[in-house]
Amino acid sequence: MVHVYNCHPFASQQIVQVEQEPGLVCCGGGALFVVATGGCKVEVYSLDQEGCPLLCRFATMGTVRSIQHSNIGDYLVTIEEKNNATYLRAYTNWRYQAEEKSRVGVRLLGHLLRGASPRGGAQMEIIEIPLSERPIAVACCPVTGDLLVACDRTLVLFTLRGQNQQNLSQQNFQNPWPNTQQSSSQSQGPISGSNQNFSVLDFERSVILHFTGLTPQQVALCGGYVAVRGELEVLVLKLEATPNPKNQAEPPDMLHTDDFEDPADFFLLPRHQELLGDRAGDCGLSVTMEKTGLEDRGRYTLSYVLYRRFAPDFFQGCSVEETRLHSLQLHPLFTSNQTVCVDEPACVFCFFSLPNTGYLYSLRGGVELLSAYQYPEKALEAVLTDHLLHVITKSALQCFSVRCAAVAARVEDPYIDTTMRACPPSSLEVCALRMQLFIGLRSVCIHGCHVVLLSAADIEVPDEAQSSVHRRNTSRKWTNSRPRESSTAGHGWNLYVVDTVSPITLYREMVEYSRRYAENSLQAQNCRHLLSEAHLLLRASLLQPLPLNNGNPTKSPQTNTDREAERQTDRQVDVWTDKETDRPGLEEAFRENCAQLGDCFSRGNQWDCHLALPYYRMSGLSVTEVISRNRPFPSSLCSYGPGFLFYLKHFLLEETDKILSQEAADEVIDIFSQSEPSQLVSVCASPGMACASPAHMLQRLQLLEDTTGISVPLTITMATMALRLDDLPKYTELMERHSEMLLVYGFIEEPRLLLRAGGGGQDTHIQPSALTHHLTHHQPGLLVAAMVALHENSKVQLEQADHVFKELGCEDGLLVDFWEAVLMASSQEMVIQELLFRLASVYIDRLTQTHPDLPHTPSTSKSLKSAEDLINSCSHCGVLYPWLSVLTPAHSTSSQHEEALHKLQSLLCGPSLSVCSILPLLERMSEETLWGLSLHVLCSTRRGQYESSMEKLLDRCPQAIIPYANHQLQDTHMALWWKKLLPELCDRTRAATDNSILLAALKETLVVVAMETSPLEFLELLPDDGTALYFLPHLLASSQRQLLA
């Protein structure tokens, strides 16, 4: 479907004063090239000056049958006939013909005129390009300036090479063509003969493509893409240059598919067929590649991109014989974020047309049919530009919208189609703008904002369609004479230059036109469509790369930026002269359009209402301004749209770095209370509502509770409002409605009642709410339980919770309680190890910073969990070993010191703490105290150093050696009783015979050794100088045990 809008894409027109009837026209480089019918002379007119004055004229060597201009290199290429022979020629440095009697050089391809410049200065050159077949069509690449020539069965690609005249002795055909041509905006006069820096162009025949099954009638070339048009079929190939190392296998040079049977005895009618991407290889056409470069330093690879074939059929106003394709074009599009040395365009589009339908494809990043254009009458020719598609019929010029900007925008910006930014889809239905009538249009070409039309009225043949065209409403003022008038009385042809309006002017007319639809709710879809068209129009202008060096030509012929500079110099003709078309003006109009689209989608249907968010974001409007744009009229029955509510919810839920004023916040409360009361709790908990009136929110929440009933999040929200009003009795009443566990569930459902983000994102610090501050002092257990629940439900990260407790001033209190609680609840190994280390560090700090001899050392805060609670409920805290009670008896130190000691001992007795991780921390603790000794012995024991541990105990606290041995020297370590402990005790008692503690320990040790060894083994363990009477009872006990066994 094609929408039709009565917008005016044309601003003015002028008639080019040519002396003879034009036969061929083309334009480029700010110039219009006119070839008289059957003539051998090219006249060049300036498109950038008022009245299109004549720049120069020069003769050709034959009758011109086809002419093309290349912006890269600023050269002309022609197909000429002379003496029944066809020639291909290129004309370079043609601007020097503005001076009369200027010299002209003629040379063959690859033969440079070395002596011309030093003697006579710069001159125009005619390059003869020999071919083995008759040339049918030519095309110039708008990206590289390369030349593609179509013959009967072959395509020949010529690579453009450029040399500075002063460096001809050091030719290097591998360098790309640099931009050394004069800008079209400069003086069109000749360049002095002393200028030694003019450019010399040449071409190198690089590739020949042989076709079977297709006769080329038109070709196009753009950035490696090659398009060939037959009578009813189009084939697009991708030609890529690849390095060719000597050891690399030769790739095949032929692309082919299964051929059809010989149809000599049959007449086959082709059927409609569309093959995209790799499937295009099944088209039945074979392509053979032949390389012809003299300096072959690489290879080319071919791949199929697109194949489209049409069956001959009856179209509106067209017979089967008239059903032919035309207007094949490959159109590149560069974006503003491309670097200057990039030769490949961001997007490449392919356009071709039938008499009544045009087709636009996107080629890069996947082949896709973007649009199909239905013409109201038979189209003769069409030209695609960044902004519009211009189509001529026999009696009218019409413009259609294009979707190139929609594709390029998504290539340039990966955030499009997200909540950040949006753009109308490339599948958006196209629209036709107002047409302008002419008589007998024959051809069209476009350069920038100039549309050149050639008309030749045929007064002998009546045109049946003309009478219907004249009846159309086409009232429009033009700056010059009407199109139907001739510049010279008596002849029936004219050459027009029609200037299109600037994009911002057309945008404003579209906006004005859309207001007619906005007034009628039944036509809201048309309003949205027209604003989307205006959006793409502005995007196409904003996507264009910024000009380099203000359009001045690049001086150095060897830099890689020259080709980009020349492209951008040529693109400057797209910039209209209005002051409003500068980039700041376009950006301002773009923001205005985004706001208008946001308004459309805010009141739109449910399926696309989410688009209001990115468009409002791109508009730069504040939330208050968006609210004011969406207020319903007092007499309107409609409430707030779903898109507006989606925008508000996203702002309140995610964009938490902006705080609304009290007036705006109260209005937001009223909006959700009216439209979506179920979201009222989330809205009230948003940090953006910090300035809202708590009394107003409490009133709305009370109404919600009366309507929907009591819920835990609603109760907590109401209690928060009461707390903000300093109504503590009301707060207490509300909080006592539910148990602590239900309140924790309420915080899980709405975490922002406790925590408020400080700018969005997981890595951003969050801040405690007013309710959190209150719970810190009055209900710390509830706060810790809620924070643990939030952590375990992935509502808050461990580092964020640390920050919250530090903000509350509870680094040594509730923060440690929170770590202990998470340790009890968590099942994540990384979190467990991190918390074990943190807690061990805290306990060691408490032990080193408190005085153990002061039983009433004041504590900053009392722990929520005691050491006994942790031992009983946490699997990572072990039961204290019995021998520890000997070293650190109860109530021997202050309560705070004892609590920290027992918690640290329980961690060391548990199965999870890695002892090696805390050894550097334990080095700060001395072994002079028994509690310090207990920690070092614990660590040594956990590391398997039993012998050194026993030596330490015998040295400092021998009364603990037997409890230690009874607990630790079991199973595989039982042998240490007689291998280490027994000899050690014997030695020590021999030195101190009156030490009752050592004697008792020796006696207990002998009992254990006698029970675990045989009599012979026991005898071998006895010391040589021992008293037999002392050891005899233990030997007797060992013998009796063996007899019983």
Side-chain angles (χ1 to χ4, degrees):
M1 177 181 177
V2 178
H3 299 257
V4 181
Y5 300 120
N6 192 23
C7 297
H8 303 73
F10 309 115
S12 63
Q13 79 174 39
Q14 50 188 332
I15 297 177
V16 183
Q17 302 297 329
V18 294
E19 297 178 357
Q20 299 180 357
E21 179 179 0
L24 297 173
V25 295
C26 73
C27 52
L32 170 63
F33 305 91
V34 181
V35 179
T37 302
C40 299
K41 182 180 292 185
V42 178
E43 295 182 343
V44 186
Y45 298 87
S46 174
L47 287 174
D48 296 333
Q49 300 182 29
E50 186 68 27
C52 297
L54 179 68
L55 290 179
C56 64
R57 60 168 58 94
F58 55 89
T60 61
M61 300 180 68
T63 303
V64 180
R65 299 305 182 191
S66 174
I67 184 170
Q68 292 285 334
H69 176 267
S70 173
N71 291 315
I72 306 298
D74 196 25
Y75 68 87
L76 287 169
V77 60
T78 61
I79 297 177
E80 304 176 12
E81 288 186 0
K82 188 175 182 179
N83 298 330
N84 296 325
T86 306
Y87 303 91
L88 180 66
R89 296 186 174 101
Y91 294 79
T92 67
N93 295 330
W94 53 267
R95 295 187 189 271
Y96 298 114
Q97 292 301 302
E99 180 183 5
E100 296 182 2
K101 300 181 181 179
S102 296
R103 299 181 52 175
V104 176
V106 182
R107 61 183 175 88
L108 281 174
L109 176 76
H111 297 266
L112 301 182
L113 301 179
R114 300 174 181 272
S117 178
R119 296 196 300 267
Q123 63 180 16
M124 185 179 83
E125 289 188 351
I126 303 176
I127 305 175
E128 290 277 357
I129 304 176
L131 294 170
S132 60
E133 297 182 74
R134 180 178 64 90
I136 297 175
V138 294
C140 301
C141 178
V143 178
T144 62
D146 295 345
L147 177 63
L148 183 66
V149 183
C151 301
D152 289 333
R153 292 294 179 183
T154 60
L155 297 182
V156 185
L157 176 64
F158 294 90
T159 303
L160 179 66
R161 306 298 185 190
Q163 288 292 313
N164 188 282
Q165 181 68 15
Q166 63 184 358
N167 296 325
L168 284 179
S169 60
Q170 299 176 355
Q171 299 179 21
N172 182 7
F173 286 102
Q174 291 306 313
N175 290 334
W177 153 246
N179 173 25
T180 58
Q181 298 294 332
Q182 294 293 322
S183 172
S184 60
S185 62
Q186 292 180 311
S187 172
Q188 306 297 333
I191 297 178
S192 65
S194 62
N195 183 2
Q196 300 297 321
N197 196 29
F198 82 100
S199 63
V200 176
L201 297 183
D202 200 20
F203 297 91
E204 179 184 352
R205 193 191 318 259
S206 58
V207 174
I208 298 178
L209 301 179
H210 298 270
F211 281 84
T212 57
L214 175 64
T215 302
Q217 296 186 359
Q218 187 180 4
V219 291
L221 177 65
C222 179
Y225 289 93
V226 176
V228 188
R229 176 184 67 80
E231 188 171 283
L232 285 172
E233 56 189 339
V234 172
L235 175 64
V236 181
L237 303 171
K238 185 70 167 72
L239 186 63
E240 293 180 296
T242 57
N244 184 29
K246 294 183 179 180
N247 57 354
Q248 181 176 342
E250 293 287 325
D253 288 339
M254 177 177 290
L255 296 179
H256 66 277
T257 54
D258 295 336
D259 296 331
F260 298 104
E261 295 182 3
D262 185 8
D265 298 332
F266 303 94
F267 180 72
L268 301 177
L269 289 177
R271 58 184 176 87
H272 288 288
Q273 191 175 23
E274 180 188 47
L275 301 174
L276 306 180
D278 295 336
R279 296 183 57 227
D282 300 330
C283 62
L285 303 179
S286 297
V287 183
T288 305
M289 182 170 54
E290 175 188 353
K291 295 169 300 181
T292 60
L294 297 180
E295 299 182 14
D296 189 13
R297 291 188 174 92
R299 293 194 59 88
Y300 287 92
T301 58
L302 270 178
S303 59
Y304 286 97
V305 177
L306 167 66
Y307 178 76
R308 185 74 189 263
R309 182 175 62 198
F310 300 89
D313 201 352
F314 290 96
F315 289 83
Q316 284 186 341
C318 303
S319 64
V320 173
E321 292 76 13
E322 294 175 325
T323 304
R324 292 184 177 90
L325 290 168
H326 61 79
S327 303
L328 175 66
Q329 184 180 353
L330 290 176
H331 181 70
L333 189 60
F334 295 84
T335 59
S336 58
N337 66 351
Q338 287 187 275
T339 57
V340 294
C341 60
V342 172
D343 283 335
E344 289 196 2
C347 304
V348 177
F349 303 94
C350 180
F351 177 82
F352 49 87
S353 180
L354 286 168
N356 287 91
T357 309
Y359 300 91
L360 178 61
Y361 284 85
S362 173
L363 301 183
R364 295 202 67 177
V367 186
E368 177 187 5
L369 175 62
L370 298 180
S371 307
Y373 297 89
Q374 301 294 330
Y375 308 136
E377 52 187 315
K378 178 183 176 182
L380 302 179
E381 194 173 355
V383 181
L384 176 67
T385 65
D386 291 350
H387 296 86
L388 296 170
L389 173 69
H390 300 267
V391 181
I392 62 167
T393 63
K394 193 172 184 179
S395 58
L397 168 64
Q398 190 166 9
C399 293
F400 294 85
S401 60
V402 295
R403 300 292 167 257
C404 300
V407 177
R410 287 167 170 82
V411 173
E412 182 187 49
D413 189 354
Y415 288 98
I416 286 182
D417 298 327
T418 65
T419 59
M420 301 297 297
R421 285 181 284 278
C423 180
S426 57
S427 59
L428 184 71
E429 295 175 339
V430 298
C431 75
L433 304 181
R434 180 176 178 176
M435 67 173 58
Q436 179 62 32
L437 298 182
F438 291 88
I439 296 177
L441 290 180
R442 297 293 177 88
S443 66
V444 58
C445 59
I446 297 178
H447 183 70
C449 62
H450 309 293
V451 181
V452 180
L453 301 171
L454 173 61
S455 69
D458 189 356
I459 60 176
E460 297 180 359
V461 181
D463 191 349
E464 298 178 358
Q466 189 69 30
S467 59
S468 62
V469 173
H470 283 300
R471 291 194 293 269
R472 297 174 183 172
N473 179 18
T474 58
S475 59
R476 173 70 167 161
K477 294 182 180 180
W478 294 79
T479 59
N480 286 308
S481 57
R482 287 184 172 274
R484 291 185 295 271
E485 298 177 1
S486 301
S487 60
T488 304
H491 65 71
W493 50 264
N494 273 317
L495 188 60
Y496 302 101
V497 177
V498 180
D499 292 338
T500 57
V501 298
S502 64
I504 198 169
T505 302
L506 184 56
Y507 155 75
R508 286 177 175 165
E509 187 173 0
M510 287 182 171
V511 171
E512 185 66 27
Y513 199 86
S514 68
R515 291 173 182 165
R516 306 177 188 178
Y517 297 118
E519 297 173 357
N520 187 351
S521 60
L522 298 178
Q523 294 182 329
Q525 190 68 26
N526 288 334
C527 176
R528 184 185 308 175
H529 183 271
L530 193 51
L531 289 176
S532 298
E533 293 285 5
H535 183 92
L536 293 177
L537 196 67
L538 294 175
R539 269 199 184 271
S541 298
L542 291 172
L543 283 171
Q544 291 182 353
L546 297 176
L548 296 177
N549 301 328
N550 296 325
N552 295 329
T554 308
K555 294 183 180 179
S556 172
Q558 302 300 330
T559 58
N560 290 332
T561 62
D562 293 337
R563 189 177 303 174
E564 182 68 17
E566 189 168 63
R567 276 199 303 266
Q568 295 182 357
T569 298
D570 176 65
R571 283 179 175 269
Q572 287 182 36
V573 298
D574 291 340
V575 182
W576 285 258
T577 57
D578 293 350
K579 293 182 179 179
E580 298 173 341
T581 57
D582 57 358
R583 196 165 188 88
L586 288 171
E587 291 173 350
E588 178 63 29
F590 183 77
R591 289 190 292 268
E592 175 187 308
N593 173 261
C594 290
Q596 295 164 348
L597 281 172
D599 294 341
C600 289
F601 287 107
S602 66
R603 303 182 182 93
N605 298 324
Q606 196 75 30
W607 65 274
D608 59 0
C609 66
H610 63 280
L611 293 175
L613 172 62
Y615 280 117
Y616 275 140
R617 273 183 161 176
M618 293 189 296
S619 70
L621 295 175
S622 65
V623 181
T624 305
E625 291 172 326
V626 173
I627 292 174
S628 64
R629 297 171 72 99
N630 284 272
R631 290 193 184 103
F633 297 105
S635 58
S636 176
L637 299 178
C638 299
S639 60
Y640 300 96
F644 171 63
L645 295 176
F646 179 82
Y647 167 80
L648 274 185
K649 283 188 288 186
H650 194 277
F651 166 78
L652 296 172
L653 293 177
E654 295 191 16
E655 297 182 5
T656 54
D657 55 338
K658 301 176 183 178
I659 298 179
L660 298 177
S661 63
Q662 179 178 346
E663 180 181 358
D666 290 344
E667 185 174 0
V668 169
I669 291 296
D670 293 336
I671 290 172
F672 280 95
S673 180
Q674 172 187 347
S675 302
E676 284 193 50
S678 61
Q679 297 292 327
L680 205 52
V681 171
S682 298
V683 171
C684 292
S686 172
M689 303 292 290
C691 295
S693 170
H696 184 70
M697 286 195 288
L698 186 59
Q699 178 185 5
R700 293 296 185 180
L701 292 171
Q702 187 63 55
L703 291 176
L704 177 63
E705 185 182 68
D706 295 341
T707 304
T708 62
I710 298 175
S711 69
V712 178
L714 179 58
T715 299
I716 300 175
T717 309
M718 294 173 64
T720 303
M721 298 304 112
L723 187 62
R724 289 180 57 184
L725 292 171
D726 294 330
D727 190 352
L728 294 181
K730 180 70 173 177
Y731 165 81
T732 305
E733 175 191 351
L734 291 169
M735 293 296 284
E736 290 179 351
R737 283 183 178 179
H738 309 287
S739 64
E740 183 175 298
M741 184 57 65
L742 290 179
L743 292 176
V744 169
Y745 289 145
F747 288 124
I748 294 175
E749 188 172 345
E750 187 49 71
R752 292 182 302 168
L753 293 170
L754 282 179
L755 310 173
R756 297 189 172 181
Q762 288 188 345
D763 296 332
T764 306
H765 287 311
I766 56 178
Q767 303 295 328
S769 65
L771 178 60
T772 306
H773 282 276
H774 182 79
L775 293 178
T776 302
H777 304 287
H778 296 84
Q779 291 178 285
L782 174 59
L783 174 60
V784 171
M787 291 296 294
V788 172
L790 293 180
H791 177 270
E792 292 305 302
N793 286 273
S794 302
K795 303 290 185 179
V796 66
Q797 297 179 358
L798 191 61
E799 292 76 10
Q800 292 175 327
D802 294 347
H803 177 76
V804 170
F805 284 107
K806 291 177 182 178
E807 288 291 320
L808 295 171
C810 305
E811 297 92 334
D812 195 42
L814 291 182
L815 177 57
V816 180
D817 294 329
F818 168 73
W819 290 344
E820 293 173 348
V822 173
L823 183 64
M824 296 167 58
S826 179
S827 58
Q828 304 177 34
E829 185 62 27
M830 292 183 61
V831 174
I832 291 171
Q833 293 300 323
E834 175 68 20
L835 291 177
L836 286 172
F837 179 79
R838 291 185 183 185
L839 289 173
S841 303
V842 169
Y843 298 150
I844 292 174
D845 288 339
R846 290 180 177 179
L847 290 173
T848 56
Q849 293 174 5
T850 58
H851 201 290
D853 298 331
L854 298 179
H856 301 291
T857 302
S859 175
T860 56
S861 61
K862 185 179 180 180
S863 299
L864 297 178
K865 295 289 185 180
S866 65
E868 185 178 356
D869 295 333
L870 290 179
I871 293 172
N872 293 332
S873 57
C874 181
S875 60
H876 307 290
C877 297
V879 179
L880 299 184
Y881 298 156
W883 55 270
L884 290 173
S885 60
V886 180
L887 290 174
T888 56
H891 309 295
S892 60
T893 60
S894 64
S895 59
Q896 181 182 359
H897 189 274
E898 181 179 343
E899 187 74 20
L901 177 62
H902 287 175
K903 288 183 178 180
L904 180 57
Q905 289 174 341
S906 68
L907 291 181
L908 292 172
C909 294
S912 303
L913 178 62
S914 175
V915 176
C916 295
S917 64
I918 65 168
L919 283 179
L921 301 177
L922 286 176
E923 291 178 357
R924 297 184 299 168
M925 304 181 64
S926 173
E927 297 184 10
E928 295 180 358
T929 60
L930 290 180
W931 59 266
L933 176 65
S934 68
L935 298 176
H936 285 279
V937 172
L938 264 176
C939 290
S940 299
T941 303
R942 286 285 306 274
R943 296 169 63 193
Q945 299 175 357
Y946 295 98
E947 296 184 8
S948 61
S949 298
M950 288 188 288
E951 290 177 359
K952 290 180 182 180
L953 290 177
L954 288 172
D955 290 339
R956 297 289 311 282
C957 187
Q959 60 267 30
I961 189 62
I962 296 303
Y964 175 86
N966 285 330
H967 187 268
Q968 303 295 154
L969 303 184
Q970 300 293 329
D971 300 327
T972 59
H973 305 293
M974 181 64 70
L976 290 175
W977 279 90
W978 53 87
K979 289 183 179 181
K980 175 62 179 178
L981 184 55
L982 180 59
E984 191 72 29
L985 286 175
C986 290
D987 294 340
R988 291 176 183 268
T989 53
R990 186 182 295 112
T993 56
D994 57 345
N995 192 325
S996 59
I997 297 178
L998 291 177
L999 290 173
L1002 178 58
K1003 184 177 181 180
E1004 292 291 334
T1005 304
L1006 289 172
V1007 172
V1008 173
V1009 172
M1011 293 295 295
E1012 298 295 331
T1013 60
S1014 64
L1016 292 178
E1017 292 173 341
F1018 186 79
L1019 283 174
E1020 292 178 359
L1021 294 174
L1022 295 181
D1024 296 336
D1025 58 346
T1027 303
L1029 184 62
Y1030 183 82
F1031 294 101
L1032 186 59
H1034 302 289
L1035 179 60
L1036 180 60
S1038 176
S1039 301
Q1040 291 177 349
R1041 181 185 62 79
Q1042 186 177 16
L1043 290 175
L1044 292 176

